[in-house]
Amino acid sequence: MIELTSLVLALSPTVGTACVAGAILGRVRRRAATRGRNEAYAEAAQRLAARDEEALHTAPVRLLAMAAGPRPVTESSAGTLLHPQLAGTAFAETQRVVLRQVAALLNAAEQPIHATATPATKGGTL
C-alpha cells in the first residue's frame, strides 16, 4: 500500500491534488480494515452460535441417546455433531472426552446391576 501512495503522490501535478489523493487512499485503507474486522467479528459470532447450539443439543439429544441406547455404550452411541464444521476443533475434542466419560459411567453403572441380578437368576437365595 505504501508503494501505491508514493505512486499517487509522484503522479499528482499539484500539492492539493496530492493531499486529496492521500486522503482518499487513507479512507480506502480504513474502510478495508473496518470491513476485515467486521467480517472477522461475524465469523466469530457464527462459531460461537454453533458452539452454543451444539452444547444445547448435547444434553437433551446426544446424552439421552446414550442413556436410552443398547449396552455397552460407546461415544459413537451419541451420534454425530449437529454442526460438522466444528469437527477437529478443541470444542469437538472436549465433547468427545465428555461422551467417553459418560459412556464409561453408564457402562460401569450397568455392571453392578448385572452382578446382583445373576445369583437370583441362577436359583440363588436372596
Side-chain angles (χ1 to χ4, degrees):
M1 213 53 171
I2 294 172
E3 296 83 22
L4 184 58
T5 305
S6 300
L7 181 65
V8 168
L9 292 174
L11 295 177
S12 298
T14 66
V15 173
T17 307
C19 289
V20 170
I24 290 172
L25 283 175
R27 187 173 182 170
V28 168
R29 281 188 202 154
R30 284 190 300 277
R31 279 189 179 175
T34 300
R35 191 175 322 119
R37 277 193 305 274
N38 289 345
E39 289 171 2
Y41 293 152
E43 185 179 315
Q46 287 175 341
R47 284 193 310 267
L48 285 174
R51 288 178 186 176
D52 288 348
E53 288 175 8
E54 194 68 51
L56 291 173
H57 174 77
T58 297
V61 177
R62 295 181 80 191
L63 295 179
L64 186 61
M66 289 177 78
R71 300 295 187 261
V73 179
T74 63
E75 64 183 273
S76 62
S77 304
T80 60
L81 291 168
L82 182 63
H83 297 279
Q85 69 269 24
L86 292 175
T89 63
F91 180 83
E93 182 57 32
T94 302
Q95 288 263 322
R96 277 193 295 278
V97 168
V98 168
L99 294 176
R100 269 188 235 122
Q101 291 175 347
V102 169
L105 180 68
L106 289 171
N107 289 332
E110 189 74 20
Q111 289 179 0
I113 293 170
H114 288 304
T116 57
T118 304
T121 58
K122 292 183 180 177
T125 60
L126 294 175

